[in-house]
Amino acid sequence: MIWVRTASSSIKSFHKSSLVRMHIKCRGSFYPRTNEKVTRTEVPDDKVEWSASFHDYAPRQYTAPHILAGPEYADPDISCPEFKPLWNAVDGNINRCSHEESYNIVDGYPRNMHGRTGIAGRGALGRWGPNHAADPIVTRWKIYDNEVAHGETGKPILQFVCIQRRDSGEWAIPGGMVDPGERVSTTLMREFQEEALNCLEMTHEQKKQTEDKLKNFFQGGEEVYRGYVDDPRNTDNAWMETVAYNFHESSQDGILYSLQLHAGDDAQAVKWQDISSQLNLYASHRDFIQKVAEKHNAHW
Ligand code: RP5
């Protein structure tokens, strides 16, 4: 396992998180969710960084068929003459800036600034370069009659709204992609409602009521992470970045103690999950949750 210090002193916006595990989940032997078992080139720990010489590194180019089919959210192929992206910039309503630093363009392709992943192309990601997401970490204290403290640490136990992803079956924060031109604050609330409350199946009236109930609560969030995600879909030319916010309910009379959770959209299940170091979550989500536990001085 390698640890890469991700916060560069020159990056002001990439704050709070100094250590995040990098390129563990996006260096597995097979690319996720491919029927034909697409393999990644093996990249040893000491060859992840581009500065490490790896002369015979020739990863397979792979872009998933559903991306090549050209859905609305995906870029065209880089070879397409009409495709003239503005790298490291806000390109129309598409944000092609990294939250961390400028990425290099090598032979016409954006290069993953966290190093080699063993596969080139876009894989299952729609955009070349950064693909922006937002992650709402919705927490409350575990309560029966009173707050429940952990038997070993004596610290109160925090719970967060956790969904099970339909694609991989892994448990995760109910995050999702920022739509072109969308504000991150909108994505945070929209994704929570879609995946943890199943608002896509609500009537217009029910949707409006839920939104009204949640609006105030979602105004009180605090940013806990902004930057790269060690997502299993990352490639040498396309990667996930996120902004994670914590929305915490501190009052037992607050909305989160009466909210009915219903899985929807990309989620096949949803639950209140006790937070502890035993958690095994999708991509870098465990690291984000640990930060939230520390912030609240909760059991970990
Ligand atoms: C992760 O992928 C992000 O942290 C976010 O939770 C998620 C967004 O992708 P989809 O859930 O929309 O596939 O890297």
Side-chain angles (χ1 to χ4, degrees), residues 133-135 165 167 173 175-177 195 229 231 233 240 242 266 282-283 285 288:
D135 284 297
R165 292 177 64 95
D167 54 6
I173 298 163
M177 300 295 187
E195 297 192 349
V229 183
D231 189 292
R233 295 168 292 187
M240 291 297 307
T242 198
D266 298 337
Y282 182 73
H285 289 189
F288 308 159

Side-chain angles (χ1 to χ4, degrees), residues 137-144 147 156-161 217 246-252 254-261 271-275 292 296 298:
I137 304 171
V138 172
T139 55
R140 69 179 189 186
W141 294 111
K142 183 172 186 173
I143 283 172
Y144 284 121
E147 275 176 19
I157 297 172
L158 205 57
Q159 298 181 313
F160 81 106
V161 174
F217 177 69
N246 177 213
F247 300 94
H248 179 65
E249 178 64 85
S250 49
S251 157
Q252 283 192 42
I255 179 174
L256 283 195
Y257 287 91
S258 58
L259 203 62
Q260 292 297 313
L261 302 178
K271 64 179 176 183
W272 281 104
Q273 170 67 54
D274 290 1
I275 291 179
V292 170
H296 292 287

